[in-house]
Amino acid sequence: MTMKLSKNYWEERYQKGEIGWNVGNITTPIKEYIDQLTDKNIKILIPGAGNGYEFEYLIEKEFKNSFVVDYAETPLENIKKRIPDLDKNQIINADFFELEGKYDLIIEQTFFCALNPEFRKEYVQKMNSLLNPKGKIIGLLFQFPLTTEGPPFGGSAEEYTALFAKDFSIIKMETASNSIKARAGKELFIIFEKK
C-alpha cells in the first residue's frame, strides 16, 4: 500500500523552495468567488493551505472566522509573518484527516491534487464530515490525465463526479475561464454542496 506523503516530505519541499504550485497570491477564480460572498460570519477552512494567500485575502476582506490547516510548519510560519495579528487558533498544524470541527465553506486549492489518489475516497468522506448541512466545497480541481507521477496528480470531471456525487450536489464543475496562464484549460472550477 502506498503511504500518504509524509509531513517531512512537505516540509522538505518548502525548505528547498520546491513549491511549483505556489502562485504567490490568490488565484482569480477563488478571488472572484470570495468577492461575491456577503455573510462575513461563515466559518471557512482551507486545507493544505500552504502559504495561504487565499486565507490572507479572506482576512483582508474581514472573514474573521477563517482557518487554515497544513501538515508542514514552514508555510504556516510564513502566514504568521505576513499576518502577525492573527488568533493563533486560526492556523492549525495538523494532518487534515485527523481534523475535527464543522465548517460552512471549504476552499480547495491544490490540496486534493497533492494527495496520493488512493486517498481520494477518504478525502470526500472527511470533507463531508467537516461540513455543516448545505456546506460547500468550492475551488479548483485539475483536469489532466491521472498519472502515477505526482504531485500534482490529475483527474477528470467524470472521476470527480463519481467520487463526490453520492454525498454532494454538484452545483458547478466547469473549465475555469480565468485561470492563471500556466494552468489555463487545466482547471475545473467547482461548487459542491453537502447533501
Side-chain angles (χ1 to χ4, degrees), residues 11-183:
E11 193 61 55
E12 199 169 290
R13 294 276 305 254
Y14 279 98
Q15 295 285 348
K16 290 181 175 175
E18 294 172 357
I19 50 173
W21 62 86
N22 183 52
V23 177
N25 52 41
I26 187 170
T27 56
T28 309
I30 293 175
K31 177 185 179 296
E32 289 185 0
Y33 182 86
I34 292 168
D35 286 346
Q36 57 82 47
L37 292 174
T38 54
D39 183 354
K40 303 277 183 171
N41 296 313
I42 60 171
K43 192 172 179 187
I44 302 172
L45 175 69
I46 307 175
N51 283 313
Y53 300 105
E54 291 74 22
F55 175 68
E56 185 174 10
Y57 189 74
L58 286 167
I59 298 301
E60 280 174 19
K61 293 292 179 182
E62 299 185 356
F63 289 91
K64 297 187 188 311
N65 205 8
S66 299
F67 299 81
V68 290
V69 60
D70 205 289
Y71 223 11
E73 289 176 38
T74 298
L76 299 178
E77 290 302 319
N78 293 341
I79 294 170
K80 289 176 191 172
K81 286 175 194 161
R82 293 197 325 267
I83 320 171
D85 298 333
L86 273 178
D87 177 338
K88 65 178 192 297
N89 295 320
Q90 289 178 270
I91 297 180
I92 306 161
N93 181 216
D95 181 343
F96 165 78
F97 292 101
E98 294 171 10
L99 195 62
E100 299 296 325
K102 290 288 184 186
Y103 300 87
D104 302 304
L105 180 68
I106 300 179
I107 296 176
E108 167 54 54
Q109 170 69 317
T110 66
F111 176 56
F112 178 90
C113 72
L115 296 170
N116 190 296
E118 75 175 44
F119 291 101
R120 291 183 171 182
K121 284 184 180 162
E122 195 179 338
Y123 168 101
V124 173
Q125 291 165 355
K126 189 64 185 178
M127 287 291 212
N128 189 43
S129 76
L130 288 169
L131 283 165
N132 284 318
K134 300 291 182 187
K136 293 183 178 78
I137 304 169
I138 72 98
L140 297 161
L141 294 174
F142 280 127
Q143 59 173 346
F144 55 80
L146 180 61
T147 66
T148 55
E149 294 299 312
F153 298 97
S156 65
E158 294 73 25
E159 180 196 355
Y160 304 144
T161 299
L163 270 171
F164 286 91
K166 177 179 167 283
D167 297 312
F168 292 88
S169 299
I170 295 174
I171 309 294
K172 183 178 274 197
M173 183 164 45
E174 60 191 37
T175 301
S177 61
N178 49 4
S179 296
I180 62 168
K181 191 173 179 183
R183 298 180 187 169

